[in-house]
């Protein structure tokens, strides 16, 4: 297969983990006889420093003219500590999602048996957990306007907006996925308080009528945070809006053991974007200690969902499992049983995974 793949390294640990993902792409291309053209472009803080824009036009053009995108992470503490900054790295990724029409963010939460001890949650609670999150990605409070300061900066306004159509298209995707899984959708909202959540629930109920074989339950987001860690194996597909999905999936990373393990796929148009759910982690950037597995698993999703290459995706996931089964760990997922010589840095973990492909 011929494919043009755009690599957006981004900030912090982004370039370190994405370099491993990039190597995996190259090895799979060689082993399976594909011709992947890998291009690179700027995004986030890195892009602001060089061009003044978090999403330069050149990056957006390349993104619109490729077959799939692999992204690292964006963000820098310089802006978090400066509430007055008008241009921010995160604006780059948010605009990219919006411009490309990537309204559905899929975040699979699958427990690796080898890593049951890496999670702070008891193994007997975790075992068998396999959840697929559908997070709405281009609506809600992330994008609604007005968004501004008033009264000389003494008041701040954000706006949460959802249209019927926005809810309908992501709900339909979640139900379709559930039909191929355990046939259960849990829709998460705050319908006891928010009008957008009442619309959300109404539309999800309507969409459900077309999928009579799928069981639907509604869950309020506050109680969902609790149930997600007390009974994670009860869930199959979890469908939710943008902000709730952002928060719940960080929480869900603790089911698997580490943020460094979770990959995501953003879809909705002809170009998919694949990225770890973790951020730029400035505290550990540049030290070769970040876990590259989320980036490697993002490449697996890129194959599976982005390019429809199932065998290639399985080869990548298989290599990660094999590496873990042999006892190799990065610092974030080591436990009392890990042999000290098997605690690896970012690059070394990448090398072992690649040997196992
Ligand atoms: C994520 C991130 C982003 C988000 C940030 C970087 C804008 O936290 O992908 O989960 O909030 O969507
Ligand atoms: Mn997030």
């Amino acid at each position: 297969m011929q494919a043009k793949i755009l690599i957006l390294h981004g900030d912090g640990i982004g370039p370190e983990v994405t370099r491993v993902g990039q190597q995996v792409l190259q090895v799979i291309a060689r082993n399976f006889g594909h011709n992947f053209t890998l291009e690179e472009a700027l995004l986030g803080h890195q892009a602001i420093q060089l061009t003044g824009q978090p999403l330069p036009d050149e990056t957006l053009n390349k993104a619109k003219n490729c077959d799939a995108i692999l992204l690292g992470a964006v963000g820098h503490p310089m802006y978090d500590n400066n509430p007055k900054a008008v241009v921010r790295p995160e604006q780059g990724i948010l605009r990219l999602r919006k411009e490309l029409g990537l309204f559905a963010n899929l975040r699979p939460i699958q427990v690796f048996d080898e890593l049951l001890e890496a999670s702070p949650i008891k193994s007997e609670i975790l075992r068998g957990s396999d959840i697929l999150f559908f997070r709405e990605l281009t609506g809600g409070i992330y994008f609604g306007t007005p968004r501004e300061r008033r009264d000389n900066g003494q008041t701040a306004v954000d706006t949460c907006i959802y249209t019927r159509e926005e809810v309908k298209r992501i709900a339909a995707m979640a139900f379709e996925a559930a039909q191929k899984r355990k046939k259960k959708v849990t829709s998460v909202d705050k319908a006891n308080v928010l009008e957008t959540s009442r619309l959300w629930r109404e539309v999800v109920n309507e969409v459900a009528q077309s999928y009579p074989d799928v069981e639907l339950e509604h869950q309020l987001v506050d109680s969902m945070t609790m149930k997600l860690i007390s009974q994670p194996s009860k869930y199959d597909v979890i469908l939710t809006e943008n902000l709730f999905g952002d928060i719940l999936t960080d929480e869900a990373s603790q089911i698997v053991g580490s943020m460094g393990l979770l990959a995501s796929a953003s879809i909705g148009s002809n170009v998919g974007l694949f990225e770890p759910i973790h951020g730029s982690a400035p505290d550990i950037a540049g030290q070769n200690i970040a876990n590259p597995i989320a980036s490697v698993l993002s490449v697996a999703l890129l194959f599976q969902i982005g390019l429809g290459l199932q065998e290639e995706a399985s080869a990548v996931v298989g290599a990660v499992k094999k590496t873990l089964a042999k006892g190799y760990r990065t610092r974030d997922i080591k436990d009392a049983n890990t042999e000290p010589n098997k605690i690896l840095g970012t690059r070394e973990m990448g090398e072992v995974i690649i040997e196992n492909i």
Side-chain angles (χ1 to χ4, degrees):
M1 167 189 273
Q2 296 262 21
K4 204 192 281 177
I5 298 164
L6 179 63
I7 315 276
L8 302 173
H9 290 285
D11 310 316
I13 60 169
E16 296 172 61
V17 298
T18 309
R19 232 169 268 133
V20 174
Q22 211 168 346
Q23 286 163 353
V24 169
L25 278 168
Q26 281 157 342
V27 170
I28 291 285
R30 203 182 60 212
N31 290 5
F32 287 81
H34 297 303
N35 186 356
F36 298 149
T37 314
L38 305 186
E39 281 193 59
E40 298 186 1
L42 298 169
L43 184 74
H45 169 65
Q46 186 204 30
I48 295 173
Q49 295 229 297
L50 289 164
T51 71
Q53 302 287 325
L55 176 66
D57 292 343
E58 191 189 332
T59 302
L60 183 58
N61 282 335
K62 284 186 178 172
K64 284 181 173 164
N65 292 294
C66 69
D67 299 299
I69 304 169
L70 179 67
L71 179 100
V74 292
H76 194 281
M78 185 176 125
Y79 309 86
D80 300 337
N81 299 331
N82 175 13
K84 299 232 155 72
V86 190
V87 181
R88 318 180 70 89
E90 289 80 3
Q91 292 162 345
I93 176 69
L94 295 177
R95 192 173 148 224
L96 187 62
R97 289 169 179 170
K98 193 76 169 179
E99 293 269 353
L100 295 177
L102 304 173
F103 65 84
N105 184 225
L106 280 58
R107 299 189 161 183
I109 310 290
Q110 270 162 332
V111 171
F112 293 97
D113 281 340
E114 293 81 11
L115 292 182
L116 285 172
E117 297 300 321
S119 169
I121 304 167
K122 291 193 196 90
S123 305
E124 62 264 31
I125 291 179
L126 294 179
R127 200 165 275 120
S129 299
D130 178 357
I131 303 171
L132 180 56
F133 272 89
F134 277 78
R135 169 189 174 194
E136 201 290 326
L137 201 60
T138 52
I141 201 160
Y142 270 61
F143 290 94
T145 51
R147 163 193 316 278
E148 63 198 21
R149 288 292 179 100
R150 291 179 189 164
D151 314 329
N152 277 327
Q154 300 310 298
T155 305
V157 182
D158 288 295
T159 306
C160 186
I161 303 188
Y162 268 110
T163 64
R164 179 167 276 278
E165 198 46 46
E166 283 172 325
V167 183
K168 200 170 152 184
R169 62 187 182 181
I170 181 116
M173 256 191 203
F175 278 94
E176 260 151 52
Q179 277 185 323
K180 299 186 196 110
R181 294 171 50 101
K182 290 188 221 125
K183 299 189 165 37
K184 181 174 166 185
V185 169
T186 304
S187 175
V188 180
D189 61 34
K190 186 72 185 170
N192 53 346
V193 177
L194 302 176
E195 201 53 45
T196 41
S197 281
R198 288 191 274 271
L199 175 71
W200 182 277
R201 198 176 277 218
E202 189 182 302
V203 175
V204 171
N205 279 330
E206 285 167 20
V207 171
Q209 311 261 304
S210 307
Y211 303 87
D213 54 330
V214 177
E215 177 200 343
L216 167 65
E217 68 175 3
H218 297 284
Q219 201 48 256
L220 295 172
V221 64
D222 46 353
S223 70
M224 187 71 229
T225 60
M226 185 177 65
K227 293 189 173 167
L228 189 58
I229 47 167
S230 59
Q231 344 178 351
S233 62
K234 248 193 73 188
Y235 298 97
D236 180 22
V237 170
I238 298 181
L239 163 66
T240 192
E241 63 95 63
N242 205 344
L243 180 63
F244 297 161
D246 180 44
I247 298 169
L248 286 173
T249 51
D250 268 28
E251 185 192 13
S253 73
Q254 294 306 298
I255 295 170
V256 191
S258 166
M259 286 278 277
L261 295 166
L262 293 200
S264 84
S266 302
I267 57 173
S269 71
N270 45 1
V271 182
L273 185 150
F274 304 85
E275 61 174 317
I277 83 155
H278 64 65
S280 58
D283 51 324
I284 60 163
Q287 300 176 44
N288 192 42
I289 55 176
N291 188 343
I293 293 181
S295 180
V296 173
L297 294 176
S298 299
V299 171
L301 287 179
L302 185 154
F303 288 140
Q304 189 200 329
I305 299 174
L307 304 178
L309 300 173
Q310 306 306 330
E311 255 184 82
E312 289 79 346
S314 306
V316 175
V317 176
V320 169
K321 287 194 176 151
K322 216 157 132 191
T323 303
L324 295 173
K326 287 180 181 166
Y328 293 103
R329 302 283 186 272
T330 41
R331 288 182 356 154
D332 55 312
I333 49 174
K334 69 175 195 296
D335 60 48
N337 300 320
T338 309
E339 296 168 38
N341 63 334
K342 291 192 171 168
I343 302 173
L344 305 181
T346 313
R347 279 190 299 274
E348 294 71 27
M349 184 53 131
E351 282 161 18
V352 179
I353 293 172
I354 284 167
E355 277 166 32
N356 283 313
I357 290 182

